[in-house]
Amino acid sequence: MSTPTITIVGANGRIGNMLGTMATQQKHAHQRVTRTDDPADLANPGPSGPIVLCIRNDAMDAILAQIHPSRHPDLVFVQNGVIQPWLTTHGLGGCTLGVLYVAVPTVAAPPIAGADSVISGKWADVISKLLNTGGVRTRSVSRDELHQEIAIKLAWICVFGLICTATQQKVGGAIDLHQEDIRALCAEIHPVLVRTLGLRLSPDALTERVVHYGTSIRHFPAGLKEWRWRNGWLTDAAASIDVDLPIHDAWLQRTRAVSAP
C-alpha cells in the first residue's frame, strides 16, 4: 500500500512549518500550502490523504470553502480551544483531531515537547508516526481520551493565557510566582469542564497536569487570544450552566488594564 501524501495547510506558520520540516527530513511525500496560497488542488476530488489544517480557528470557514467536499473526511484539525461545535455544524465531527502538547516559539525553531500529544481518527496513525519520528511523542487514542485532553489543554490555555498576559510573565514566571493563582483558577473552571466537556479529573489532578505541561515550556510566551474558542467559550459555557467565574473575571480585568493605552 502506497504512503499517502500529507497536505499541510498553513505551512508557513509555526506548527505547519514544523510538520513540513519533519516530512522533509523523513522523506515523506507532502504538499505545503502557505496561508497566502490558494489551495487550488484541494478544490477538486483527489487521492485520499491527510490534509492537516495548521491555521487560526477563525480561518477555518474560509479554508473549508476551498476544499472539495469529497476531501472533507481527510481533514486533520490540530487547533487549540473548543472547535467541536463548529465541526458538528459543518458535518465534520468524524474527522481526525489532535491535541498537541508542543511549543514552537517562532517559525523554524526546534519544537519543545511536553506531555504526550494525542490524536484520534482516520489519519491518526500517519500523523502520530510523523510526529513521533520527529521527536514529538504522540499517541493514537480513542475519541473519549481525546476529549479528556481537549479539556485539559483548554484549561492550560485559559489559565496561562490570563496570568501571563496580566503579569507580562512567560510560562515559567507564572509558575514560579503564581502557583496559588493557577490552583485557584483550575478549581474554579473545573466544574465547567466537568459538566460541558466531560472531564473526569479532580481539581488537584487538573492543576497537576496544567503545571506539568507548563514546566516543560517555561520560556513560552502564553497569551490571551482567539477569545471565541478559548476563554470566551469558557465564560459562555459557564453562563449556560449558571456557574460564576469571579477569579477568572478578576484576572480578565487585569489583562484589560495592561492592554489599555
Side-chain angles (χ1 to χ4, degrees):
M1 182 178 179
S2 60
T3 302
T5 296
I6 298 174
T7 300
I8 303 164
V9 180
N12 56 338
R14 291 178 297 170
I15 297 299
N17 181 270
M18 177 192 77
L19 293 175
T21 299
M22 289 178 177
T24 297
Q25 292 172 342
Q26 297 171 37
K27 296 181 171 55
H28 196 298
H30 67 287
Q31 172 188 9
R32 302 190 191 206
V33 179
T34 71
R35 291 172 179 171
T36 57
D37 290 339
D38 177 8
D41 290 349
L42 302 179
N44 301 305
S48 185
I51 303 170
V52 190
L53 299 186
C54 304
I55 57 176
R56 297 291 186 191
N57 297 33
D58 285 339
M60 293 190 299
D61 283 301
I63 294 297
L64 183 64
Q66 299 178 71
I67 298 175
H68 195 274
S70 67
R71 300 301 309 278
H72 287 182
D74 290 327
L75 294 174
V76 179
F77 295 88
V78 293
Q79 282 69 24
N80 285 316
V82 179
I83 66 171
Q84 283 77 3
W86 184 91
L87 293 173
T88 300
T89 296
H90 292 83
L92 302 172
C95 286
T96 304
L97 301 178
V99 177
L100 303 185
Y101 286 103
V102 58
V104 183
T106 59
V107 174
I112 306 168
D116 286 1
S117 294
V118 296
I119 192 161
S120 175
K122 177 180 179 179
W123 294 113
D125 290 344
V126 172
I127 303 303
S128 63
K129 181 180 179 181
L130 179 73
L131 288 164
N132 277 311
T133 305
V136 176
R137 299 188 314 273
T138 306
R139 295 182 292 113
S140 179
V141 299
S142 69
R143 220 56 166 185
D144 180 68
E145 184 172 354
L146 178 87
H147 290 154
Q148 295 299 302
E149 296 301 327
I150 288 172
I152 294 165
K153 185 75 180 288
L154 178 70
W156 188 90
I157 291 168
C158 290
V159 168
F160 278 96
L162 279 176
I163 294 177
C164 290
T165 300
T167 64
Q168 299 295 285
Q169 297 279 348
K170 293 186 178 179
V171 169
I175 291 173
D176 293 340
L177 301 174
H178 297 280
Q179 282 270 357
E180 290 307 311
D181 295 308
I182 293 170
R183 184 173 298 279
L185 276 166
C186 284
E188 180 175 84
I189 69 176
H190 178 265
V192 181
L193 301 179
V194 169
R195 293 174 60 182
T196 60
L197 295 180
L199 179 69
R200 294 194 298 270
L201 293 181
S202 69
D204 286 344
L206 177 63
T207 301
E208 183 178 348
R209 282 292 307 274
V210 165
V211 172
H212 180 267
Y213 178 47
T215 58
S216 67
I217 54 171
R218 291 180 58 86
H219 299 293
F220 189 74
L224 186 66
K225 51 191 175 182
E226 293 196 300
W227 174 260
R228 169 189 170 189
W229 312 91
R230 303 181 183 189
N231 293 72
W233 180 90
L234 181 68
T235 57
D236 289 345
S240 72
I241 57 174
D242 295 321
V243 172
D244 293 327
L245 301 177
I247 300 173
H248 180 277
D249 292 345
W251 276 100
L252 184 59
Q253 288 300 318
R254 290 182 62 175
T255 69
R256 290 169 177 164
V258 168
S259 61

